[in-house]
Amino acid sequence: MPITIASIKQNLDGQLGKEIKLTAQAGRKKTTERKGILTDTFPSVFIVELNKDESAYERVSYSYTDVLTQTVELEFTGNEF
């Protein structure tokens, strides 16, 4: 079954409130790793509340397209998405 934006959103809807680790492409051969809790999903984006100890930002948002194009990789506690 091909992965679509709708299926990514549906999978994330089932993971609300769980801990997540994000690995995002930050440019040329650079990646950013962040940990937090998936708090909200909207029609185009999802929101992650970050751990205050590890980040200067409180929350970040990414689009489902980022996940589809593998610009952002998601990993839930024990499961790779």
PDB file of all heavy atoms in Angstrom, residues 24-46:
ATOM      1  N   ALA A  24      15.438  15.743  11.672  1.00  0.00           N
ATOM      2  CA  ALA A  24      15.095  16.600  10.536  1.00  0.00           C
ATOM      3  C   ALA A  24      16.356  17.010   9.788  1.00  0.00           C
ATOM      4  O   ALA A  24      17.396  17.279  10.401  1.00  0.00           O
ATOM      5  CB  ALA A  24      14.360  17.843  11.016  1.00  0.00           C
ATOM      6  N   GLN A  25      16.253  17.064   8.477  1.00  0.00           N
ATOM      7  CA  GLN A  25      17.346  17.552   7.645  1.00  0.00           C
ATOM      8  C   GLN A  25      17.441  19.064   7.851  1.00  0.00           C
ATOM      9  O   GLN A  25      16.463  19.773   7.682  1.00  0.00           O
ATOM     10  CB  GLN A  25      17.079  17.250   6.172  1.00  0.00           C
ATOM     11  CG  GLN A  25      16.948  15.787   5.856  1.00  0.00           C
ATOM     12  CD  GLN A  25      18.235  15.020   6.094  1.00  0.00           C
ATOM     13  OE1 GLN A  25      19.323  15.530   5.862  1.00  0.00           O
ATOM     14  NE2 GLN A  25      18.103  13.810   6.583  1.00  0.00           N
ATOM     15  N   ALA A  26      18.628  19.548   8.214  1.00  0.00           N
ATOM     16  CA  ALA A  26      18.807  20.966   8.497  1.00  0.00           C
ATOM     17  C   ALA A  26      19.714  21.630   7.480  1.00  0.00           C
ATOM     18  O   ALA A  26      20.279  22.683   7.739  1.00  0.00           O
ATOM     19  CB  ALA A  26      19.366  21.148   9.908  1.00  0.00           C
ATOM     20  N   GLY A  27      19.873  21.018   6.358  1.00  0.00           N
ATOM     21  CA  GLY A  27      20.732  21.603   5.339  1.00  0.00           C
ATOM     22  C   GLY A  27      21.723  20.581   4.848  1.00  0.00           C
ATOM     23  O   GLY A  27      21.565  19.382   5.038  1.00  0.00           O
ATOM     24  N   ARG A  28      22.745  21.066   4.262  1.00  0.00           N
ATOM     25  CA  ARG A  28      23.739  20.220   3.630  1.00  0.00           C
ATOM     26  C   ARG A  28      24.451  19.324   4.643  1.00  0.00           C
ATOM     27  O   ARG A  28      25.244  19.787   5.448  1.00  0.00           O
ATOM     28  CB  ARG A  28      24.737  21.130   2.957  1.00  0.00           C
ATOM     29  CG  ARG A  28      25.590  20.486   1.996  1.00  0.00           C
ATOM     30  CD  ARG A  28      26.363  21.538   1.277  1.00  0.00           C
ATOM     31  NE  ARG A  28      26.896  20.954   0.073  1.00  0.00           N
ATOM     32  CZ  ARG A  28      27.668  21.565  -0.748  1.00  0.00           C
ATOM     33  NH1 ARG A  28      27.986  22.820  -0.506  1.00  0.00           N
ATOM     34  NH2 ARG A  28      28.114  20.974  -1.792  1.00  0.00           N
ATOM     35  N   LYS A  29      24.148  18.039   4.592  1.00  0.00           N
ATOM     36  CA  LYS A  29      24.761  17.024   5.465  1.00  0.00           C
ATOM     37  C   LYS A  29      24.584  17.320   6.945  1.00  0.00           C
ATOM     38  O   LYS A  29      25.386  16.890   7.771  1.00  0.00           O
ATOM     39  CB  LYS A  29      26.245  16.861   5.145  1.00  0.00           C
ATOM     40  CG  LYS A  29      26.501  16.349   3.750  1.00  0.00           C
ATOM     41  CD  LYS A  29      27.972  16.121   3.532  1.00  0.00           C
ATOM     42  CE  LYS A  29      28.230  15.658   2.119  1.00  0.00           C
ATOM     43  NZ  LYS A  29      29.640  15.400   1.873  1.00  0.00           N
ATOM     44  N   LYS A  30      23.570  18.081   7.310  1.00  0.00           N
ATOM     45  CA  LYS A  30      23.302  18.387   8.711  1.00  0.00           C
ATOM     46  C   LYS A  30      21.924  17.862   9.076  1.00  0.00           C
ATOM     47  O   LYS A  30      20.990  17.946   8.284  1.00  0.00           O
ATOM     48  CB  LYS A  30      23.335  19.894   8.975  1.00  0.00           C
ATOM     49  CG  LYS A  30      24.681  20.515   8.869  1.00  0.00           C
ATOM     50  CD  LYS A  30      24.606  21.976   9.254  1.00  0.00           C
ATOM     51  CE  LYS A  30      25.955  22.644   9.166  1.00  0.00           C
ATOM     52  NZ  LYS A  30      25.894  24.036   9.586  1.00  0.00           N
ATOM     53  N   THR A  31      21.812  17.346  10.282  1.00  0.00           N
ATOM     54  CA  THR A  31      20.513  16.920  10.793  1.00  0.00           C
ATOM     55  C   THR A  31      20.322  17.491  12.185  1.00  0.00           C
ATOM     56  O   THR A  31      21.283  17.756  12.901  1.00  0.00           O
ATOM     57  CB  THR A  31      20.390  15.381  10.859  1.00  0.00           C
ATOM     58  OG1 THR A  31      21.425  14.866  11.685  1.00  0.00           O
ATOM     59  CG2 THR A  31      20.470  14.748   9.485  1.00  0.00           C
ATOM     60  N   THR A  32      19.076  17.676  12.542  1.00  0.00           N
ATOM     61  CA  THR A  32      18.703  18.153  13.866  1.00  0.00           C
ATOM     62  C   THR A  32      17.863  17.081  14.526  1.00  0.00           C
ATOM     63  O   THR A  32      16.905  16.598  13.926  1.00  0.00           O
ATOM     64  CB  THR A  32      17.879  19.453  13.765  1.00  0.00           C
ATOM     65  OG1 THR A  32      18.638  20.419  13.055  1.00  0.00           O
ATOM     66  CG2 THR A  32      17.524  19.981  15.129  1.00  0.00           C
ATOM     67  N   GLU A  33      18.209  16.718  15.741  1.00  0.00           N
ATOM     68  CA  GLU A  33      17.451  15.707  16.474  1.00  0.00           C
ATOM     69  C   GLU A  33      16.761  16.369  17.658  1.00  0.00           C
ATOM     70  O   GLU A  33      17.397  17.086  18.432  1.00  0.00           O
ATOM     71  CB  GLU A  33      18.396  14.608  16.959  1.00  0.00           C
ATOM     72  CG  GLU A  33      17.676  13.393  17.462  1.00  0.00           C
ATOM     73  CD  GLU A  33      18.635  12.266  17.749  1.00  0.00           C
ATOM     74  OE1 GLU A  33      19.159  11.670  16.790  1.00  0.00           O
ATOM     75  OE2 GLU A  33      18.861  12.001  18.952  1.00  0.00           O
ATOM     76  N   ARG A  34      15.465  16.121  17.764  1.00  0.00           N
ATOM     77  CA  ARG A  34      14.677  16.709  18.855  1.00  0.00           C
ATOM     78  C   ARG A  34      13.777  15.652  19.459  1.00  0.00           C
ATOM     79  O   ARG A  34      13.332  14.737  18.773  1.00  0.00           O
ATOM     80  CB  ARG A  34      13.820  17.859  18.327  1.00  0.00           C
ATOM     81  CG  ARG A  34      14.636  18.998  17.796  1.00  0.00           C
ATOM     82  CD  ARG A  34      13.763  20.084  17.273  1.00  0.00           C
ATOM     83  NE  ARG A  34      14.572  21.269  17.010  1.00  0.00           N
ATOM     84  CZ  ARG A  34      14.265  22.185  16.154  1.00  0.00           C
ATOM     85  NH1 ARG A  34      13.164  22.098  15.460  1.00  0.00           N
ATOM     86  NH2 ARG A  34      15.037  23.223  15.970  1.00  0.00           N
ATOM     87  N   LYS A  35      13.484  15.815  20.750  1.00  0.00           N
ATOM     88  CA  LYS A  35      12.585  14.895  21.443  1.00  0.00           C
ATOM     89  C   LYS A  35      11.466  15.697  22.082  1.00  0.00           C
ATOM     90  O   LYS A  35      11.687  16.815  22.553  1.00  0.00           O
ATOM     91  CB  LYS A  35      13.329  14.119  22.524  1.00  0.00           C
ATOM     92  CG  LYS A  35      14.373  13.187  21.969  1.00  0.00           C
ATOM     93  CD  LYS A  35      15.089  12.460  23.075  1.00  0.00           C
ATOM     94  CE  LYS A  35      16.200  11.599  22.491  1.00  0.00           C
ATOM     95  NZ  LYS A  35      16.985  10.955  23.529  1.00  0.00           N
ATOM     96  N   GLY A  36      10.278  15.124  22.090  1.00  0.00           N
ATOM     97  CA  GLY A  36       9.138  15.804  22.684  1.00  0.00           C
ATOM     98  C   GLY A  36       7.906  14.924  22.665  1.00  0.00           C
ATOM     99  O   GLY A  36       8.004  13.696  22.580  1.00  0.00           O
ATOM    100  N   ILE A  37       6.739  15.564  22.730  1.00  0.00           N
ATOM    101  CA  ILE A  37       5.457  14.869  22.749  1.00  0.00           C
ATOM    102  C   ILE A  37       4.596  15.398  21.611  1.00  0.00           C
ATOM    103  O   ILE A  37       4.464  16.610  21.451  1.00  0.00           O
ATOM    104  CB  ILE A  37       4.750  15.064  24.104  1.00  0.00           C
ATOM    105  CG1 ILE A  37       5.593  14.428  25.207  1.00  0.00           C
ATOM    106  CG2 ILE A  37       3.354  14.472  24.080  1.00  0.00           C
ATOM    107  CD1 ILE A  37       5.075  14.642  26.600  1.00  0.00           C
ATOM    108  N   LEU A  38       4.023  14.488  20.843  1.00  0.00           N
ATOM    109  CA  LEU A  38       3.110  14.870  19.766  1.00  0.00           C
ATOM    110  C   LEU A  38       1.819  15.381  20.397  1.00  0.00           C
ATOM    111  O   LEU A  38       1.131  14.643  21.088  1.00  0.00           O
ATOM    112  CB  LEU A  38       2.833  13.662  18.865  1.00  0.00           C
ATOM    113  CG  LEU A  38       1.902  13.899  17.694  1.00  0.00           C
ATOM    114  CD1 LEU A  38       2.493  14.894  16.708  1.00  0.00           C
ATOM    115  CD2 LEU A  38       1.600  12.591  16.990  1.00  0.00           C
ATOM    116  N   THR A  39       1.511  16.671  20.191  1.00  0.00           N
ATOM    117  CA  THR A  39       0.366  17.264  20.882  1.00  0.00           C
ATOM    118  C   THR A  39      -0.845  17.509  20.002  1.00  0.00           C
ATOM    119  O   THR A  39      -1.969  17.358  20.462  1.00  0.00           O
ATOM    120  CB  THR A  39       0.749  18.595  21.554  1.00  0.00           C
ATOM    121  OG1 THR A  39       1.275  19.472  20.579  1.00  0.00           O
ATOM    122  CG2 THR A  39       1.745  18.377  22.663  1.00  0.00           C
ATOM    123  N   ASP A  40      -0.647  17.921  18.750  1.00  0.00           N
ATOM    124  CA  ASP A  40      -1.779  18.265  17.883  1.00  0.00           C
ATOM    125  C   ASP A  40      -1.505  17.841  16.453  1.00  0.00           C
ATOM    126  O   ASP A  40      -0.361  17.841  16.003  1.00  0.00           O
ATOM    127  CB  ASP A  40      -2.026  19.780  17.868  1.00  0.00           C
ATOM    128  CG  ASP A  40      -2.655  20.284  19.142  1.00  0.00           C
ATOM    129  OD1 ASP A  40      -3.622  19.672  19.604  1.00  0.00           O
ATOM    130  OD2 ASP A  40      -2.165  21.307  19.658  1.00  0.00           O
ATOM    131  N   THR A  41      -2.586  17.513  15.752  1.00  0.00           N
ATOM    132  CA  THR A  41      -2.513  17.314  14.303  1.00  0.00           C
ATOM    133  C   THR A  41      -3.572  18.190  13.663  1.00  0.00           C
ATOM    134  O   THR A  41      -4.690  18.289  14.159  1.00  0.00           O
ATOM    135  CB  THR A  41      -2.755  15.841  13.911  1.00  0.00           C
ATOM    136  OG1 THR A  41      -4.023  15.426  14.385  1.00  0.00           O
ATOM    137  CG2 THR A  41      -1.666  14.933  14.448  1.00  0.00           C
ATOM    138  N   PHE A  42      -3.194  18.850  12.607  1.00  0.00           N
ATOM    139  CA  PHE A  42      -4.083  19.716  11.856  1.00  0.00           C
ATOM    140  C   PHE A  42      -4.111  19.231  10.411  1.00  0.00           C
ATOM    141  O   PHE A  42      -3.349  18.336  10.046  1.00  0.00           O
ATOM    142  CB  PHE A  42      -3.590  21.167  11.946  1.00  0.00           C
ATOM    143  CG  PHE A  42      -3.653  21.725  13.343  1.00  0.00           C
ATOM    144  CD1 PHE A  42      -2.513  21.802  14.126  1.00  0.00           C
ATOM    145  CD2 PHE A  42      -4.860  22.149  13.884  1.00  0.00           C
ATOM    146  CE1 PHE A  42      -2.565  22.302  15.412  1.00  0.00           C
ATOM    147  CE2 PHE A  42      -4.923  22.649  15.170  1.00  0.00           C
ATOM    148  CZ  PHE A  42      -3.782  22.727  15.934  1.00  0.00           C
ATOM    149  N   PRO A  43      -4.950  19.804   9.555  1.00  0.00           N
ATOM    150  CA  PRO A  43      -5.031  19.305   8.174  1.00  0.00           C
ATOM    151  C   PRO A  43      -3.701  19.308   7.412  1.00  0.00           C
ATOM    152  O   PRO A  43      -3.468  18.433   6.592  1.00  0.00           O
ATOM    153  CB  PRO A  43      -6.036  20.250   7.520  1.00  0.00           C
ATOM    154  CG  PRO A  43      -6.915  20.684   8.638  1.00  0.00           C
ATOM    155  CD  PRO A  43      -6.002  20.782   9.839  1.00  0.00           C
ATOM    156  N   SER A  44      -2.811  20.251   7.700  1.00  0.00           N
ATOM    157  CA  SER A  44      -1.561  20.330   6.939  1.00  0.00           C
ATOM    158  C   SER A  44      -0.303  20.089   7.761  1.00  0.00           C
ATOM    159  O   SER A  44       0.744  19.782   7.205  1.00  0.00           O
ATOM    160  CB  SER A  44      -1.429  21.705   6.289  1.00  0.00           C
ATOM    161  OG  SER A  44      -2.499  21.916   5.408  1.00  0.00           O
ATOM    162  N   VAL A  45      -0.375  20.275   9.072  1.00  0.00           N
ATOM    163  CA  VAL A  45       0.817  20.188   9.922  1.00  0.00           C
ATOM    164  C   VAL A  45       0.520  19.430  11.212  1.00  0.00           C
ATOM    165  O   VAL A  45      -0.637  19.239  11.589  1.00  0.00           O
ATOM    166  CB  VAL A  45       1.361  21.591  10.286  1.00  0.00           C
ATOM    167  CG1 VAL A  45       1.806  22.346   9.063  1.00  0.00           C
ATOM    168  CG2 VAL A  45       0.348  22.391  11.065  1.00  0.00           C
ATOM    169  N   PHE A  46       1.606  19.028  11.898  1.00  0.00           N
ATOM    170  CA  PHE A  46       1.482  18.472  13.236  1.00  0.00           C
ATOM    171  C   PHE A  46       2.427  19.222  14.168  1.00  0.00           C
ATOM    172  O   PHE A  46       3.430  19.780  13.738  1.00  0.00           O
ATOM    173  CB  PHE A  46       1.746  16.960  13.260  1.00  0.00           C
ATOM    174  CG  PHE A  46       3.110  16.548  12.774  1.00  0.00           C
ATOM    175  CD1 PHE A  46       4.147  16.335  13.668  1.00  0.00           C
ATOM    176  CD2 PHE A  46       3.354  16.341  11.431  1.00  0.00           C
ATOM    177  CE1 PHE A  46       5.400  15.944  13.234  1.00  0.00           C
ATOM    178  CE2 PHE A  46       4.606  15.943  10.976  1.00  0.00           C
ATOM    179  CZ  PHE A  46       5.626  15.740  11.881  1.00  0.00           C
TER     180      PHE A  46
END
